[in-house]
Amino acid sequence: MTTVSTTRVPGPTTRTTRPSPRKSKRRQVRERQWPAYVFLSPWMIGAVVLTLVPMAVSLYLSFTDYNLFDPPRWVGLRNYQEMLTEDPRYWRSVGTTMLYVVVAVPLKLGLALGVAMLLRNLGRGRGFYRSAFYAPSLLGAGMSIALVWKALFNDGGTVADVLDSVGIHTGGWVGDPHLAVYVIVLLTVWQFGAPMVIFLAGLQQISPDLYEAAALDGAGRWRQFVSITVPMLSPVVFFNLVLEVINSFQVFTPAFAISGGDGGPADSTMFYTLYLYERGFTASHMGYAAAMAWLLLIAIGAITLILFRTSRSWVFYADEEGR
């Protein structure tokens, strides 16, 4: 009997390759993230087209001589050199702006904090008074409000008449080189509603138990304010301070309206941004104006950095140790 043996020839084997867990996890993350990028794309496109590209063009123009009509001509650091060493009006605008910031910001924040403390202890009618004090901030420092303010402080205006009636003869503040800038300061201080609301929210977060314990220890109102209110409110003070300093360096509309656009009288209201506008759009020195804008950006960034660095010594955060 013959036995026939059959041998089975193995066929080609197929291997199933499984993606590594790391690659699979990355793919899942990308799949979850793409809807977010789709919804964020309008903002991202706007940020690039309306912010980053104009900033890059402005930086380039700051090194050129450009009058809005002819092609830009590269001049290197000439605009910066002229600004810092050959333009006395530039330094007057810097001095006027610094005076405004140093006077207006503390007055505005002090008034906002004082009114917020009064409203915190007010019972009936607190909502009405809070809305009334916030109303000037809603109106803003627009052209119409600035023109009304100019009429109040002009020669023969309401403020001059009231002061004359009590024996204080100052005349019109708008036409006085020593008083004109304080018209804009008062307009800014009058709009204390926004920081007031923020202060009021911060005051409401302070526990009344702290004041009760301090009162039992014999601490008076002033001691409670210095030892409890100020430290506990310091993060809110810092927040308002940074915002107000940044906004104050960029003031333009009140100075333009009250001075008639020329920074008068005697350049007493020639703020930095107003002089930038004059050089860029009135004198058609757009390259010079772009250089001014970049120096303003650097100055605001440096001052903000200083505020953040110095805040470590006076800003108290209750939820962090060592602060």
Side-chain angles (χ1 to χ4, degrees), residues 151-173:
L152 290 174
F153 286 89
N154 214 336
D155 191 12
T158 304
V159 174
D161 292 341
V162 171
L163 293 177
D164 287 340
S165 64
V166 295
I168 302 176
H169 306 288
T170 59
W173 290 28

Side-chain angles (χ1 to χ4, degrees), residues 22-253:
R22 180 178 299 178
K23 292 183 178 179
S24 177
K25 194 172 184 178
R26 290 178 180 176
R27 183 181 303 171
Q28 293 176 2
V29 171
R30 287 197 298 267
E31 290 177 354
R32 289 197 301 265
Q33 287 180 344
W34 75 263
Y37 287 113
V38 171
F39 286 105
L40 287 173
S41 59
W43 179 89
M44 297 173 66
I45 294 173
V48 172
V49 175
L50 300 178
T51 302
L52 297 181
V53 172
M55 287 181 65
V57 173
S58 171
L59 181 61
Y60 166 73
L61 291 179
S62 69
F63 298 102
T64 65
D65 181 12
Y66 181 48
N67 61 5
L68 294 175
F69 303 102
D70 299 324
R73 182 173 59 89
W74 183 268
V75 295
L77 297 175
R78 174 60 186 169
N79 290 325
Y80 295 93
Q81 179 183 356
E82 178 183 352
M83 187 188 316
L84 298 176
T85 62
E86 304 175 13
D87 190 353
R89 295 192 73 195
Y90 170 81
W91 288 109
R92 282 200 295 270
S93 69
V94 171
T96 302
T97 305
M98 291 299 297
L99 173 64
Y100 169 80
V101 173
V102 170
V103 175
V105 172
L107 287 178
K108 185 176 183 178
L109 294 183
L111 182 60
L113 178 57
V115 174
M117 294 185 66
L118 292 175
L119 291 179
R120 182 191 61 173
N121 299 325
L122 189 64
R124 181 176 301 178
R126 181 170 59 180
F128 168 78
Y129 287 108
R130 181 171 54 189
S131 302
F133 284 122
Y134 186 72
S137 295
L138 290 177
L139 297 176
M143 183 64 70
S144 58
I145 299 298
L147 291 176
V148 172
W149 210 259
K150 179 180 180 180
L152 290 174
F153 286 89
N154 214 336
D155 191 12
T158 304
V159 174
D161 292 341
V162 171
L163 293 177
D164 287 340
S165 64
V166 295
I168 302 176
H169 306 288
T170 59
W173 290 28
V174 175
D176 190 337
H178 300 95
L179 298 176
V181 66
Y182 296 104
V183 177
I184 305 174
V185 169
L186 291 176
L187 175 57
T188 300
V189 174
W190 175 67
Q191 298 168 345
F192 64 89
M196 178 205 68
V197 171
I198 299 175
F199 278 136
L200 184 59
L203 289 171
Q204 292 175 344
Q205 299 301 316
I206 302 176
S207 174
D209 296 339
L210 297 176
Y211 294 102
E212 294 177 1
L216 291 176
D217 291 338
R221 293 284 186 180
W222 175 252
R223 187 63 182 175
Q224 293 178 20
F225 174 77
V226 173
S227 301
I228 298 177
T229 304
V230 173
M232 298 299 293
L233 203 63
S234 56
V236 181
V237 174
F238 175 67
F239 176 79
N240 278 330
L241 177 63
V242 171
L243 289 185
E244 292 301 327
V245 167
I246 293 175
N247 292 332
S248 296
F249 273 103
Q250 303 175 71
V251 63
F252 172 77
T253 304

